[in-house]
């Protein structure tokens, strides 16, 4: 049945009324509705739309006219209320805000980003090399999150960058802090005078967050990409970064983090670190240094690297930090003998495996299957960020699905005594990982208890109180789920070892004299030094990376990259031809 | 003039667009200025060339209306038979210096606006806006439609013609456009400010045309006052005149025309002269009058995209805050993003027409087909939506984009012309 409502002297423009009509048509019980001003032309439209009533003739051009086709008269009030609410909302304006500038071409990106010192890439790796080159040609530093760049391209581009006085961070560079601004998957860390260079993303995260917790700060943490210290690359970015931090007036201590480097590259890096004036701390994961050198301190764990750096910053003596582990009472069944580590951070998994091997004096079995960092007797340390687990799926720092599955499996295994895990906070990570994991942890602990087993879950949270996630809330959720939380990954592993009656002790290292140094010329370029105070970025790819930059006072031009001509090779060639062709004969 | 590179040629084309100075000179029967309309039974249509059988229902309906208006037949049935017989010759408006809105159907006795681009001395023609509702351009052909066309021929055109002739050089269109863009028009979806500015110029003159019957003068002023989109057709003729002037430079990749016939979308680029590059048309996305939905919408049609080619319409979305909600679901910021995005496929901005809501940046200037292909960003065209059934007229308004094929074909063809081999 048709109802006509005339709101006299109530002018709204036609677009508003069309939007309103769309909305009213979604109300249950409304067969059809139209809202228009009562102009003669609109009355004709009511006719063609099958909504004409005689009452419409009374309406003037200044009246809002509503014709409703409904069965139930009681809907009229609801419709009128909806109209009022809608019109009121209209006047409040859109929820959109003016964010960063979004562009779709290099021309525009370079035009708007002429002051930007760094280009951040997160585009498919097969396209990255060519695009990195364009950025370097424009005199920009590059932070390349993209992986799958051929190592030959990495070498060529790093040499090109070096020759141009620029830094190429990455490819496969997951973490960086530039002038206090987190880039890619990074924690929000207090600014400060410890400078970090790292060929390991989660290594940088663990070290910088511990520095933060100890009261220190990091203004620059330069990621180099995981392959930088391979023999093929020769540590080009790492060495240039060390030289840059050496000449940075705001850096007092230099920390170098890497997974096992090629021996010759390691020697070059050590030689360089012995040549600089600032105290340096190294952590080459997997190496257990027996001593420090004067001004060059050699850490075994990421935690130790962070602690040493803070001691140096505070001009304190470098020594092992005393810790008292509270070893909880336990009642494992005889078959419960093994540790299972389920890590989202690759470097943390690596560190855990290293400590467990040492603590339990495990030998042999260096050939763990893919995805396992350690599989020895029944002990297992798994890097869930390994390609085996992430192919076609999000990284475990974002998606908890795989880890929940594996937690359930490990929980059911009657031989499991202790489960180790990490929760990595920061930009790019899941907004509430603790909440995701907690129910599964509770469930597997309860199930084990039902079977008469006690199951320990020991974890560490890599994060700071400035991270976008609320670290205190994350801690509370984990504890409530029954997780024993430790201050660092190393501490978590040491606790696990202590529970298994294989405690690892930390000892002070002697400080030995510096061996002979081959002199190195340390001359970073102006552009390299400018990187450390850079505020402008061009973000090519993932929009979420822009957010962290803006939140920390940086400026960003968002470039929504797509392959030229949709990837059509013929068109790409035609465009190249047209761009170069000479018209004059 | 010889250009060394495509960029140089494109700059030259853009400079001609900036220099273009269209003046509205007169309103006359189409056949007096378009010679081709005198050669038997001829109709002009919008878009690239098309045959009657391929025309969508509303355009066929408009053809029927034109046949009835020209009194070549007395009934709809006869008109359809005549059109199906192939006796009526169909020519794209663009081929005879004209443009036509929606169906673009123009016959010899319909009145057309005459705009001259004083920079290059070339002229362009376009029928006048009939208002809204059941109108020929949306495929309606009822008695009411034909009656209005006759009134436009017999009253509106002569009165406006007499009024324009009192002005020595005609009416300077750039001045009106610059004024109206500051008042929130983008000249495709919204023309109310420009239409009022036009009325403001014309009304005092019309009032003074005492040799014309007062009733006629009153009717004309009332019609202009009622017809919010009247200026659209003036804008179309002006854009056509300017773009035809610019495309005298036959080098480079600047798009010089975009149009559609309900079947195909066609573009021209400077370097390929008169050649059309076509692809299948899209259906507009938009808001619908009550009782209608996208299922009722006819595919995209009309030469009105000449406004976007010139740099207004959808390209200048941000200029018209009042209609910004036609872009997607959002409002102002969506429109801002749209206009910002359009700058990425254009080579510059036109200093003649600063947009206050865009911090006085000029409207987009020179769509570069290379950039369209490179980025996949398509020009945004503001458009009316016709019912897919003839006779029912307009059912909504919204936006539409050309198919990328047109630009890809144009870029490849030009590259090949210059010696590119795959």
């Amino acid at each position: 049945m048709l109802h006509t409502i005339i709101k006299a002297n109530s002018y709204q423009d036609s677009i508003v009324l069309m939007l309103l009509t769309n909305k009213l048509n979604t109300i249950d019980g409304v067969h059809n509705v139209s809202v228009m001003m009562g102009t003669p032309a609109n009355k004709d439209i009511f006719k063609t739309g099958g909504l004409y009533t005689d009452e419409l003739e009374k309406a003037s051009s200044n009246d809002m006219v509503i014709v409703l086709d409904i069965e139930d008269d009681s809907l009229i009030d609801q419709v009128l209320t909806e109209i009022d609410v809608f019109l009121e909302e209209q006047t409040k304006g859109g929820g959109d805000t003016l964010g960063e500038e979004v562009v779709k071409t290099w021309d525009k990106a370079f035009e708007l980003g002429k002051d930007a010192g760094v280009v951040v890439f997160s585009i498919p790796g097969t396209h990255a090399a060519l695009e990195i080159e364009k950025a370097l040609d424009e005199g920009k530093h590059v932070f390349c999150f993209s992986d799958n760049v051929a190592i030959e391209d990495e070498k060529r581009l790093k040499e090109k960058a070096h020759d141009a006085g620029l830094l190429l961070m990455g490819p496969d560079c997951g973490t960086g802090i530039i002038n206090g601004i987190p880039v890619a998957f990074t924690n929000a860390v207090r600014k400060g005078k410890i400078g970090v260079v790292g060929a390991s993303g989660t290594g940088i995260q663990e070290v910088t967050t511990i520095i933060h917790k100890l009261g220190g700060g990091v203004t620059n943490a330069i990621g180099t990409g995981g392959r930088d210290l391979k023999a093929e690359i020769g540590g080009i970015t790492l060495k240039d970064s060390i030289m840059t931090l050496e000449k940075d007036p705001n850096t007092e201590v230099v920390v170098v983090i890497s997974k096992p480097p090629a021996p010759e590259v390691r020697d070059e890096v050590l030689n360089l670190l012995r040549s600089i004036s600032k105290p340096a701390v190294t952590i080459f994961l997997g190496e257990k240094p027996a001593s420090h050198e004067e001004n060059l301190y050699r850490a075994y764990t990421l935690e130790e690297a962070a602690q040493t750096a803070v001691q140096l910053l505070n001009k304190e003596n470098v020594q092992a930090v005393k810790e008292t582990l509270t070893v909880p009472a336990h009642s494992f069944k005889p078959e419960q003998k093994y540790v299972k580590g389920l890590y989202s951070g690759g470097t943390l998994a690596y560190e855990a495996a290293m400590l467990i091997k040492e603590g339990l004096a495990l030998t042999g079995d260096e050939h763990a299957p893919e995805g396992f960092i350690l599989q020895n007797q029944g002990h297992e340390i798994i890097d869930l960020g390994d390609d085996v687990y992430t192919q076609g799926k999000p990284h475990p720092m974002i998606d908890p699905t795989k880890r929940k599955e594996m937690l359930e499996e490990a929980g059911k295994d009657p031989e499991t005594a202790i489960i180790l895990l990490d929760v990595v906070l920061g930009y790019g990570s899941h907004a509430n990982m603790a909440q995701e994991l907690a129910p599964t942890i509770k469930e597997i602990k309860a199930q084990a208890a039902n079977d008469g087993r006690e199951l320990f879950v020991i974890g560490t949270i890599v994060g700071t109180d400035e991270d976008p996630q609320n670290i205190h809330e994350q801690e509370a959720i984990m504890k409530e789920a029954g997780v024993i939380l430790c201050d660092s990954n190393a501490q978590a592993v040491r606790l696990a070892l202590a529970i298994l009656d294989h405690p690892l002790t930390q000892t002070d290292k002697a400080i030995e004299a510096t061996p002979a140094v081959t002199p190195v010329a340390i001359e970073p370029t102006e552009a390299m030094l400018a990187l450390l105070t850079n505020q402008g970025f061009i973000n090519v790819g993932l929009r979420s990376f822009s957010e962290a930059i803006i939140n920390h006072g940086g400026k960003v031009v968002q470039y929504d990259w797509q392959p030229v001509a949709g990837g059509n090779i013929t068109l790409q060639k035609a465009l190249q031809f047209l761009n170069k062709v000479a018209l004059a004969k | 003039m010889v250009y060394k590179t495509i960029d140089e040629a494109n700059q030259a084309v853009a400079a001609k667009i900036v220099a273009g100075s269209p003046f509205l000179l007169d309103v006359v029967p189409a056949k007096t200025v378009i010679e081709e309309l005198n050669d038997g039974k001829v109709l002009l249509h919008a878009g690239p060339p098309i045959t009657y059988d391929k025309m969508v229902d509303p355009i066929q309906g408009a053809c029927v209306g034109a046949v009835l208006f020209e009194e070549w037949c007395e009934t709809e049935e006869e008109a359809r038979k005549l059109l199906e017989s192939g006796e009526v010759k169909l020519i794209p408006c663009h081929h005879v210096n004209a443009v036509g809105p929606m169906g673009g159907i123009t016959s010899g006795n319909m009145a057309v606006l005459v705009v001259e681009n004083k920079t290059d001395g070339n002229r362009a023609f376009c029928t006048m806006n009939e208002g809204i509702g059941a109108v020929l351009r949306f495929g309606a052909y009822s008695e009411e439609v034909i009656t209005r066309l006759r009134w436009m021929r017999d009253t509106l055109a002569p009165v406006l013609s007499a009024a324009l002739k009192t002005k020595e050089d005609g009416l300077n269109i750039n001045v009106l456009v610059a004024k109206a863009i500051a008042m929130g028009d983008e000249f495709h979806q919204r023309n109310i400010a420009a239409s009022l500015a036009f009325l403001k110029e014309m009304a005092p003159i019309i009032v003074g045309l005492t040799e014309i019957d007062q009733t006629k003068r009153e009717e004309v002023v009332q019609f202009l006052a009622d017809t919010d989109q009247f200026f659209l057709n003036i804008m179309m003729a002006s854009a056509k005149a300017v773009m035809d002037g610019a495309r005298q430079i036959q080098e480079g990749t600047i798009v010089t025309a975009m149009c559609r016939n309900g079947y195909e979308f066609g573009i021209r680029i400077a370097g390929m002269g008169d050649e059309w590059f076509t692809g299948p048309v899209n259906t507009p996305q938009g808001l619908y009058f009550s009782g209608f939905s996208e299922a009722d919408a006819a595919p995209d049609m009309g030469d009105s995209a000449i406004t976007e080619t010139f740099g207004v319409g959808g390209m200048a979305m941000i200029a018209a805050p009042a209609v910004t909600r036609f872009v997607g679901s959002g409002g102002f910021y969506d429109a801002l993003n749209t206009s910002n995005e359009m700058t990425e496929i254009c080579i510059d901005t036109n200093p003649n027409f600063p947009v206050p809501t865009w911090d006085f940046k000029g409207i987009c200037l020179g769509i570069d087909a290379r950039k369209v292909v490179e980025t996949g960003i398509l020009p945004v065209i503001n458009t009316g939506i016709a019912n897919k059934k003839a006779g029912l007229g307009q059912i909504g308004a919204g936006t539409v984009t050309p198919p990328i094929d047109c630009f890809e074909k144009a870029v490849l063809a030009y590259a090949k012309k210059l010696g590119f081999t795959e």
Side-chain angles (χ1 to χ4, degrees), chain B residues 82-376:
Chain B
L82 174 70
L83 289 158
E84 280 157 14
S85 76
E87 196 192 323
V88 178
K89 193 175 170 193
L90 296 168
I91 305 175
C93 296
H94 267 289
H95 291 191
V96 294
N97 302 322
V99 277
M102 299 308 286
I105 300 303
T106 306
S107 64
N109 288 299
M110 288 181 194
V112 292
L113 302 153
V114 179
V115 172
E116 182 171 299
N117 173 15
K118 301 248 176 192
T119 317
D120 292 292
N122 63 303
R123 291 185 178 190
F125 315 105
C126 184
T127 51
M128 285 185 289
N129 193 280
E130 312 157 73
I132 57 170
V135 286
L136 189 81
R137 68 180 186 280
F138 283 101
Y141 51 83
S142 61
E143 190 55 39
E144 177 195 353
V145 175
I146 308 301
T147 305
R148 188 187 306 112
L149 289 174
R150 287 184 181 137
W151 175 83
M152 289 169 76
R153 175 191 65 194
D154 300 334
T155 303
L156 180 60
V159 172
L160 283 178
S161 174
L164 286 164
K165 280 186 181 141
T166 64
K167 297 178 89 80
E168 201 176 325
D169 297 320
L171 187 63
N172 187 336
I173 300 303
N174 279 353
V175 173
L176 291 182
V177 172
K179 279 183 193 167
I181 207 161
M183 293 190 277
D185 278 357
E186 46 64 77
F187 305 99
H188 200 165
Q189 205 73 270
R190 188 181 146 98
N191 280 283
I192 188 166
S195 298
L196 290 174
F198 177 74
L199 175 65
K200 175 175 156 304
E201 294 293 326
M202 289 294 111
I205 302 174
I206 293 170
V207 170
L209 295 173
T210 44
E211 71 278 17
I212 294 173
D213 179 55
Q214 180 171 350
T215 325
K216 287 189 171 186
R217 284 182 277 147
E218 281 172 7
E219 280 173 11
V220 167
V221 170
Q222 188 62 52
F223 181 82
L224 293 179
D226 287 344
T227 309
D228 292 352
Q229 288 283 54
F230 192 83
F231 194 81
L232 170 57
N233 302 40
I234 300 175
M235 187 73 235
M236 284 172 61
S238 302
K240 169 71 175 165
V242 171
M243 295 313 294
D244 274 354
R247 74 192 197 92
Q248 290 172 6
I249 296 171
Q250 305 234 324
E251 290 286 7
T253 50
I254 297 297
V255 176
T256 55
M258 297 194 285
C259 60
R260 52 271 205 243
N261 57 27
Y263 175 69
E264 283 183 315
F265 197 109
I267 69 161
R268 281 170 165 171
I269 64 170
M272 294 302 290
D274 289 345
E275 194 169 340
W276 291 108
F277 298 93
T278 60
V281 288
N282 296 318
T283 298
Q285 304 277 313
L287 291 171
Y288 289 86
F289 302 151
S290 56
F292 300 105
S293 72
E294 199 170 330
D296 305 305
D300 188 27
M301 57 176 79
D303 289 332
S304 55
I306 194 72
T307 58
E308 277 81 8
T309 319
F310 173 70
V312 292
M315 304 294 289
M317 202 61 153
I318 192 59
V323 293
T324 53
R325 273 175 290 194
F326 277 114
V327 200
S329 57
F332 186 82
Y333 291 106
D334 269 1
L336 178 60
N337 286 339
T338 301
S339 280
N340 282 341
E341 193 167 278
M342 291 303 105
T343 63
E344 302 213 44
I345 50 171
C346 293
I347 66 163
D348 210 339
T349 52
N350 188 332
N352 291 340
F353 307 110
V355 181
T357 41
W358 211 12
D359 201 15
F360 298 95
K361 193 181 332 195
I363 58 168
C364 286
L365 172 63
I367 299 170
D368 184 345
R370 287 178 306 175
K371 290 181 179 231
V372 174
V373 173
E374 182 192 331
T375 60

